[in-house]
Amino acid sequence: MTSKEIFLNHLAPTSHHPVLLEVESANGIIITDTDGNNYYDLIAGIGVVSVGHNNPFINRAVVEQIQKHSHVMVYGEYIQTAVNSLAKNLASTLPESLATSYFVNSGTEANEGAIKLAKRITGRHKLVAFEKGYHGNTQGSMSISANETKKRSFRPLLPGVSFLRFNNLKDLEQITDEVAAVIIEPIQGDAGVVIASATFMQALRNRCTATGAQLIFDEVQTGFGRTGKMFAFEHYAVIPDILTLAKGLGGGLPIGAFISSHKNMQLLAENPVLGHITTFGGNPVCCSAANAVLKIITEKDFLENVEVKGMLFEQLLQHKEVKSIRRKGLMLAIELENEEKVDKAISLALEHKVIIYWFLSTHSSLRISPPLTISQDEIKDSCNILLDVFGNL
Ligand SMILES: Cc1ncc(COP(=O)(O)O)c(C=O)c1O
């Protein structure tokens, strides 16, 4: 059997048109296929590999940890140095009200935990989310994600969820004192980098404070440096009650977190005890990788450079086929005329050995979210190829 036949016969598909790039190795921003072709990876596994593939510093942290110990117990029972360090390091980059982390394995799990926590804090069950938002694919996260086409076949989902228009101040009046939580991506990722206004975010914060609804920021995609700040909420001078992270957190290893105050987090340990449990959450190898990522992205000038590099992409990708660019840091959406042009651009770019990608919920934009470690020369080179691609649409 060829590797393609094994893939198609023995791995469950997510669609009937997978990319089928056969990976041999990956280094920095380059993915090499089994025929020896090198691709510029401008997607980073959808915003995950933020410090580059095969990063020696991450590798060392992983190997050192795995040689000490890997999984020894379910989350929350034993004291493990790597897990402790990550919790402490995160607390030192976050405000006092976000001092306590619960580690899980993915973004959707982080959001599931956040919803459960909000229910315990408030004693309420209603949830408010935003049109075009995406929060994951398990049943709770899917309930608060907007895309009806993707949800329809899985109903019934969670009851009591309503959707407001993003950036619409009037709709915030629908947040009442019956609402347990309002969940929002400060910059909507899969909607195609839709950026909340500061006025809207501040009004949302005020409304949640006034009604007692917990404000959850889903920073699974925007967190950990992607937007040029450690967390996107720093762009707004607004602090959420609960913060969720995943993707870039582990630099390529699977880890997520939901984070809130020490006081709030005690609630999951009582009435009932073991109110949220996970076998693999807080895996020490993943936590070591996350500690290494944190060390790299907090180095002097690293985050400032993310914005500089993002601006370079924006300047270089001016072309008559590009209708607009939405961007924060190295999170970019390139708006083309229509879906057909987006499909053509992505497949032509792949032919020219540059990986760019689709968004889940917007079809007229293409996605660029490279490793944050991409160099200026790599940006220039890959943008030249993309300009050629745009010229052939
Ligand atoms: C904003 C946001 N939240 C949650 C998720 C779900 O994360 P995961 O796929 O790790 O479950 C994603 C994934 O794309 C995301 O972009």
Side-chain angles (χ1 to χ4, degrees):
M1 253 182 161
T2 64
S3 44
K4 185 173 167 187
E5 284 165 346
I6 296 172
F7 181 92
L8 294 175
N9 284 298
H10 296 294
L11 280 164
T14 56
S15 80
H16 294 304
H17 41 83
V19 180
L20 291 178
L21 188 144
E22 193 169 346
V23 179
E24 177 65 33
S25 60
N27 268 292
I29 78 146
I30 303 290
I31 294 181
T32 305
D33 73 9
T34 45
D35 294 324
N37 296 305
N38 289 330
Y39 295 81
Y40 276 135
D41 178 11
L42 299 191
I43 290 302
I46 316 290
V48 169
V49 193
S50 49
V51 293
H53 298 282
N54 202 12
N55 183 304
F57 192 64
I58 308 277
N59 291 354
R60 207 171 318 127
V62 164
V63 171
E64 277 173 13
Q65 180 57 45
I66 215 161
Q67 285 173 341
K68 275 192 212 149
H69 66 89
S70 177
H71 181 92
V72 283
M73 193 35 161
V74 296
Y75 175 85
E77 294 294 330
Y78 294 175
I79 300 173
Q80 302 171 55
T81 311
V83 190
N84 260 14
S85 303
L86 182 58
K88 183 82 173 41
N89 289 338
L90 282 172
S92 67
T93 65
L94 284 163
E96 178 66 34
S97 59
L98 297 170
T100 303
S101 294
Y102 192 124
F103 295 124
V104 291
N105 310 285
S106 64
T108 197
E109 265 188 87
N111 289 329
E112 296 285 349
I115 297 170
K116 285 174 73 179
L117 179 63
K119 285 182 167 176
R120 286 302 322 278
I121 295 169
T122 59
R124 311 171 187 168
H125 79 276
K126 288 191 177 164
L127 299 168
V128 166
F130 288 87
E131 288 180 2
K132 301 227 168 92
Y134 178 71
H135 302 289
N137 244 246
T138 50
Q139 307 226 11
S141 299
M142 187 181 260
S143 308
I144 50 172
S145 297
N147 192 327
E148 185 55 35
T149 316
K150 296 269 165 44
K151 296 200 290 191
R152 193 169 296 127
S153 309
F154 301 101
R155 289 193 182 282
L157 294 168
L158 283 183
V161 181
S162 48
F163 290 90
L164 309 184
R165 285 169 294 178
F166 196 76
N167 268 338
N168 186 300
L169 289 171
K170 180 99 184 66
D171 279 12
L172 297 181
E173 288 165 16
Q174 295 175 46
I175 301 168
T176 66
D177 60 10
E178 292 188 339
V179 170
V182 178
I183 185 161
I184 188 166
E185 301 160 81
I187 297 169
Q188 289 189 316
D190 286 306
V193 190
V194 180
I195 301 171
S197 74
T199 317
F200 175 72
M201 285 304 247
Q202 278 146 18
L204 173 62
R205 174 67 274 181
N206 292 341
R207 186 72 188 174
C208 287
T209 304
T211 55
Q214 294 295 296
L215 180 55
I216 304 172
F217 276 9
D218 175 344
E219 292 227 30
V220 166
Q221 205 166 141
T222 55
F224 249 55
R226 173 62 46 195
T227 70
K229 299 264 189 206
M230 181 65 78
F231 305 103
F233 72 75
E234 296 170 37
H235 293 289
Y236 296 100
V238 158
I239 298 172
D241 300 303
I242 305 172
L243 174 70
T244 63
L245 301 174
K247 287 198 184 284
L249 176 61
L253 273 84
I255 179 168
F258 60 102
I259 303 174
S260 190
S261 67
H262 178 261
K263 178 166 173 261
N264 285 343
M265 284 300 199
Q266 304 314 303
L267 295 167
L268 293 175
E270 59 207 37
N271 298 322
V273 64
L274 307 178
H276 191 70
I277 52 175
T278 159
T279 297
F280 290 123
N283 177 281
V285 179
C286 301
C287 288
S288 283
N291 279 320
V293 176
L294 193 59
K295 199 151 191 330
I296 296 170
I297 65 178
T298 49
E299 270 164 16
K300 195 170 170 305
D301 297 336
F302 186 95
L303 290 174
E304 288 76 4
N305 273 328
V306 169
E307 178 57 23
V308 172
K309 292 173 187 179
M311 270 162 45
L312 184 59
F313 264 111
E314 196 171 335
Q315 282 158 13
L316 294 175
L317 288 179
Q318 300 299 323
H319 188 278
K320 68 174 178 11
E321 288 291 346
V322 173
K323 301 301 162 206
S324 63
I325 297 179
R326 295 180 298 279
R327 181 189 71 79
K328 203 79 170 168
L330 278 168
M331 184 172 178
L332 292 97
I334 313 295
E335 185 79 17
L336 302 183
E337 199 177 310
N338 54 40
E339 189 172 348
E340 289 68 42
K341 294 217 172 182
V342 168
D343 288 348
K344 192 166 175 200
I346 292 169
S347 61
L348 268 182
L350 195 64
E351 275 174 35
H352 290 85
K353 312 288 181 284
V354 174
I355 303 171
I356 51 177
Y357 212 63
W358 294 267
F359 287 103
L360 278 179
S361 308
T362 182
H363 302 299
S364 53
S365 302
L366 54 84
R367 180 200 295 262
I368 294 182
S369 60
L372 308 178
T373 45
I374 190 169
S375 71
Q376 304 240 347
D377 283 345
E378 288 165 335
I379 295 174
K380 286 178 193 156
D381 209 19
S382 51
C383 284
N384 276 337
I385 300 172
L386 288 181
L387 291 176
D388 271 355
V389 165
F390 295 152
N392 285 304
L393 291 182

